[in-house]
Amino acid sequence: MAGRSRYDNPFEEGGTDEVNPFADKATRGAPASQSTYSGGSFYTTQSRPTPPSNTRLSPLPPEPADFYNDFSSPVDIPMDTSKDMKTREKELLAKEAELSRREKDIKRREEAAARAGIVIEDKNWPPFFPIIHHDINNEIPVHLQRTQYVAFASLLGLVLCLFWNIVCVTAAWIKGEGPKIWFLAIIYFILGCPGAYYLWYRPLYRAMRNDSALRFGWFFLFYLVHIAFCVYAAVSPSILFVGKSLTGIFPAISLIGKSVIVGIFYFLGFAIFCLESLLSMWVIQRVYHYFRGSGKDAQMKREAARGAARAAF
């Protein structure tokens, strides 16, 4: 014990110079790893089992060298030189000069057209599908706007009358009146709506806007035809038009006995044509009062005489 350090552990294993005092004398000089001493039930000389080799996870395959940064395909970034910049600047200046020249040209044409009394009409009505030009608030004088609005209401009223006429005639056709009256109702609608706009509403609109006496005369001529048609349709005798192709009072009386629903439809059409006739009479009366009060009748006579003299020479 004297040769031992005070820090030496007497129970420490693995020393080559240590001797087991309980081992046999024959085996006392043998190495500890080759000892045959059993050491009792709590001592074993068997080596610890080594872990199996397959418990360790297989390593991942190595990543390629350019996995995160692919520098194999270089990207060419064009660098504009000062020469290219000057070329593009010249092109932009040329385009700007061309646009400025076109804008001045368009403005000059618009001013020339305005001096000549020509108005460029852009289609703006109805808003969801523009087919006509209509701007009463900005183009018609204030004291004539009410009359123009009522005239426009009479145009829309005629469209309503002819559309309802198609509905009524379709019902009558279903009840056995024949397809001929239905085709006639379609023809009335196709010809009547655009005919009313081009023959009397647009001349009145332009006459109110430009104060043209000849256009007032054109309006009076065709608006009287319009009133005559509305009155005839409200009565609808079987003289000029075939049978029940118009929803007048006579077809309504004859159909009410055959079918109550069709008869009621025809009576409603008769009422709509009556309202359209009364509204149209009010419009022509107001326009005529303005025409006579502003001296347009004398101006129309002078313009007509001037036009006849021009045609003669």
Side-chain angles (χ1 to χ4, degrees), residues 134 174 202 228 259 264:
H134 196 257
I174 294 174
R202 192 170 69 172
S259 176
I264 293 173

Side-chain angles (χ1 to χ4, degrees), residues 218-239:
W218 189 268
F219 161 76
F220 285 125
L221 175 63
F222 286 99
Y223 204 65
L224 288 174
V225 176
H226 160 74
I227 294 175
F229 171 77
C230 292
V231 173
Y232 181 88
V235 179
S236 189
S238 299
I239 301 174

Side-chain angles (χ1 to χ4, degrees), residues 133-145:
H133 175 77
H134 196 257
D135 193 5
I136 295 177
N137 288 331
N138 297 324
E139 295 181 347
I140 305 300
V142 178
H143 62 284
L144 298 175
Q145 287 184 2

Side-chain angles (χ1 to χ4, degrees), residues 16 48 51 70 73 104 114 122 129 141 151 158 161 164 185 189 243 248 264 275 282 300:
T16 58
R48 295 179 180 178
D70 187 7
S73 58
K104 290 180 181 179
D122 296 327
F129 187 69
L158 179 65
C161 289
W164 183 253
F189 183 84
I264 293 173
L275 292 176
W282 185 88
M300 185 180 68

Side-chain angles (χ1 to χ4, degrees), residues 252-274:
I253 293 173
S254 63
L255 287 172
I256 194 69
K258 299 179 182 179
S259 176
V260 178
I261 297 177
V262 177
I264 293 173
F265 280 7
Y266 268 72
F267 273 112
L268 289 176
F270 160 70
I272 296 173
F273 271 116
C274 288

Side-chain angles (χ1 to χ4, degrees), residues 26 50 56 62 68 72 96 99 106 119 121 125 135 137 177 179 202 204 210 220 234 259 261 268 272 276 288 304 306:
T50 59
R56 185 176 295 177
Y68 294 103
S72 60
E96 184 179 359
L99 291 175
I106 292 173
V119 179
E121 296 182 348
W125 195 92
D135 193 5
N137 288 331
E177 293 298 328
R202 192 170 69 172
L204 177 64
N210 301 329
F220 285 125
S259 176
I261 297 177
L268 289 176
I272 296 173
E276 175 67 17
Y288 182 73
R306 194 180 301 116

Side-chain angles (χ1 to χ4, degrees), residues 6 8 30 62 70 84-85 89 98 104-105 107 125 131 150 154 158 182 196 198 220 223 232 242 250 255 268 303 312:
R6 63 177 183 176
D8 293 340
D70 187 7
D84 295 337
M85 294 293 292
E89 185 178 359
E98 180 67 18
K104 290 180 181 179
D105 190 19
K107 188 175 180 180
W125 195 92
I131 55 176
V150 178
S154 69
L158 179 65
W182 186 82
Y198 287 105
F220 285 125
Y223 204 65
Y232 181 88
V242 177
F250 288 154
L255 287 172
L268 289 176
E303 289 181 2

